[in-house]
Amino acid sequence: SHDDESFRIWDVVTGQEEDRRMDWEETMQWATPHAIQFFAVVVTCFYSYCLAHFGPEFGVQMAWSFVVCLASLFMPKLVEPIAVGAIAGMSSNNDPRVIPNAMWITFPAIVAGLLWLPMNDYDLFKGNGGRYGMVGFLATNIALLTVLMPSDIIPFHRYTGDGAINRWDHICRFLLIMRYLFCTPLAGLLTRLTKISTGHSDITSGAMASLLLISLVFLVGDDVRKNYVHDVTSAITIGAFIGISDATVLQTTHVPLCCVLGVGWRLLLGPFFLGFAGKEAFISFTAVATFKALTPRNDTIFA
């Protein structure tokens, strides 16, 4: 009788130990890939920021696409979190100053990592090409509003472009609009064709097309005014993010029209968020979402 009771107690104890062991294994199975993705976002954010501002003259638009193309070769399973981090590190450090140095990029990097995890787990906004950069854009805004602006590191009027809101005539110039209307649909179509022909993941095809076009722009950049180069590379990035949207969300034949819509959003948001990471991706996300809202059933904006 005493031995039977001892065996029962032993069975209960060993059963509890087994349950704890299984719970620990399940926790680690969940935590390990999430920790890897989080650190991929944070580390890549630092790398992209430093590459854009302290390395060769890449510029923020080329830096993210270069990092993503590099990741697709060596760490293809982490391309998406690496893309999120690369875009989150696109903030300007001077004129306008949004993230002043590599120390302050810590805050948007951590926020971007935390935002990406639920977005990836629940497939939020899946199929919208701008969702990767939207994470970086939101992370930058959260870091500014909660840390940098209350600490007087960055002034609150940075949101309105330090007075740029009063200079619409300089923002909505005819030639500037023409550059956007030419480059954005071109980048969107090239990205979609790259995605179809190569079979690469969404963000990889966008990075490849963007890197190619921006490289060509930089080759002739010495003979072009600096602000022209900025306009063109910004237009290419917007088009690339629109082009990587899934065909189930945005049909290939609708990509040019959605890119024109993206140009409209770019002009509307021209004086706002100057130098903010992910602004172009946020514009692309908004353009795709607006297009879908205007075409809820029959997939034509003209019906």
Side-chain angles (χ1 to χ4, degrees):
S1 173
H2 179 73
D3 291 340
D4 291 341
E5 183 65 23
S6 298
F7 278 122
R8 280 196 294 271
I9 294 174
W10 175 253
D11 289 341
V12 171
V13 172
T14 54
Q16 290 175 346
E17 288 292 334
E18 181 66 19
D19 290 342
R20 282 195 290 268
R21 186 183 66 81
M22 293 179 64
D23 290 341
W24 172 253
E25 289 180 354
E26 291 177 358
T27 301
M28 291 305 296
Q29 288 176 358
W30 178 89
T32 301
H34 285 76
I36 292 174
Q37 292 210 26
F38 174 81
F39 284 108
V41 172
V42 173
V43 172
T44 309
C45 186
F46 277 95
Y47 179 66
S48 178
Y49 181 85
C50 293
L51 183 65
H53 299 300
F54 307 118
E57 292 189 8
F58 268 67
V60 293
Q61 307 296 350
M62 183 179 279
W64 80 265
S65 55
F66 174 78
V67 171
V68 173
C69 288
L70 206 62
S72 68
L73 296 174
F74 299 103
M75 291 178 286
K77 293 183 178 180
L78 291 175
V79 165
E80 289 189 327
I82 285 175
V84 171
I87 299 168
M90 287 172 59
S91 291
S92 172
N93 70 338
N94 188 30
D95 193 27
R97 187 177 68 166
V98 177
I99 302 296
N101 54 54
M103 179 185 73
W104 292 106
I105 198 68
T106 305
F107 296 100
I110 292 174
V111 175
L114 294 175
L115 290 176
W116 168 247
L117 296 181
M119 180 172 286
N120 183 52
D121 284 347
Y122 297 104
D123 289 333
L124 300 178
F125 312 114
K126 190 173 180 62
N128 188 322
R131 79 184 190 120
Y132 304 102
M134 190 187 68
V135 175
F137 181 76
L138 291 176
T140 301
N141 279 274
I142 292 172
L144 288 173
L145 290 173
T146 58
V147 180
L148 278 81
M149 287 181 174
S151 303
D152 289 332
I153 304 299
I154 301 298
F156 281 94
H157 58 75
R158 190 55 41 84
Y159 270 102
T160 57
D162 299 328
I165 194 171
N166 297 318
R167 302 195 301 271
W168 284 96
D169 55 324
H170 293 283
I171 296 168
C172 298
R173 302 186 306 274
F174 176 76
L175 291 179
L176 180 146
I177 295 173
M178 290 299 103
R179 288 194 293 273
Y180 271 95
L181 287 176
F182 175 78
C183 296
T184 305
L186 175 64
L189 279 175
L190 179 60
T191 300
R192 179 58 64 88
L193 294 176
T194 302
K195 179 179 176 181
I196 294 172
S197 60
T198 63
H200 282 293
S201 65
D202 296 343
I203 191 63
T204 302
S205 59
M208 291 170 61
S210 180
L211 183 62
L212 173 62
L213 291 175
I214 293 175
S215 298
L216 294 175
V217 171
F218 271 80
L219 288 177
V220 298
D222 291 338
D223 299 324
V224 182
R225 292 199 325 178
K226 184 178 180 180
N227 59 326
Y228 286 7
V229 173
H230 172 77
D231 295 340
V232 172
T233 55
S234 178
I236 290 171
T237 303
I238 293 171
F241 281 118
I242 292 175
I244 65 176
S245 297
D246 288 348
T248 55
V249 175
L250 185 66
Q251 296 180 16
T252 302
T253 54
H254 293 163
V255 169
L257 188 57
C258 189
C259 287
V260 172
L261 193 59
V263 173
W265 276 109
R266 170 63 181 85
L267 297 176
L268 183 65
L269 296 177
F272 303 101
F273 311 112
L274 295 181
F276 281 45
K279 177 180 177 179
E280 287 78 11
F282 174 74
I283 290 171
S284 302
F285 176 89
T286 307
V288 174
T290 304
F291 189 89
K292 292 300 294 180
L294 294 173
T295 58
R297 294 183 180 178
N298 49 14
D299 275 331
T300 171
I301 198 172
F302 301 109

